[in-house]
Amino acid sequence: MQRRIVGFHEDEEHHWVAELECGHHQHMRHDPPWMMREWVTTVDGRRGHLGMAIECKKCDIGAPRDFS
């Protein structure tokens, strides 16, 4: 199910996590060569992706909201 990114936070290991409008969280890692998301490494890059819709697999399975 498509959900929009409404914010970001860093987890305890300093990886960026997208906060989705549905209340779920999803890691957005830049981990070359497997995951190429260089935009997540800068404030402007993250800001530019606010409002972007991504697939929320937690919504697909009816998982409860995540807590920050």
Side-chain angles (χ1 to χ4, degrees), residues 50-63:
L50 292 175
M52 181 178 93
I54 62 172
E55 192 65 29
C56 181
K57 294 181 184 239
K58 291 179 182 179
C59 277
D60 289 342
I61 63 170

Side-chain angles (χ1 to χ4, degrees), residues 20-53:
L20 306 179
E21 64 185 335
C22 57
H24 291 129
H25 298 164
Q26 183 172 319
H27 278 91
M28 303 301 280
R29 293 184 176 98
H30 176 59
D31 187 21
W34 297 279
M35 296 298 234
M36 300 298 293
R37 292 186 182 121
E38 191 169 343
W39 58 266
V40 80
T41 63
T42 67
V43 172
D44 287 338
R46 292 186 300 276
R47 188 179 300 130
H49 282 76
L50 292 175
M52 181 178 93

Side-chain angles (χ1 to χ4, degrees), residues 5-29:
I5 298 173
V6 296
F8 290 94
H9 68 269
E10 276 186 290
D11 69 7
E12 60 279 346
E13 295 177 2
H14 304 287
H15 296 285
W16 286 102
V17 179
E19 301 165 358
L20 306 179
E21 64 185 335
C22 57
H24 291 129
H25 298 164
Q26 183 172 319
H27 278 91
M28 303 301 280
R29 293 184 176 98

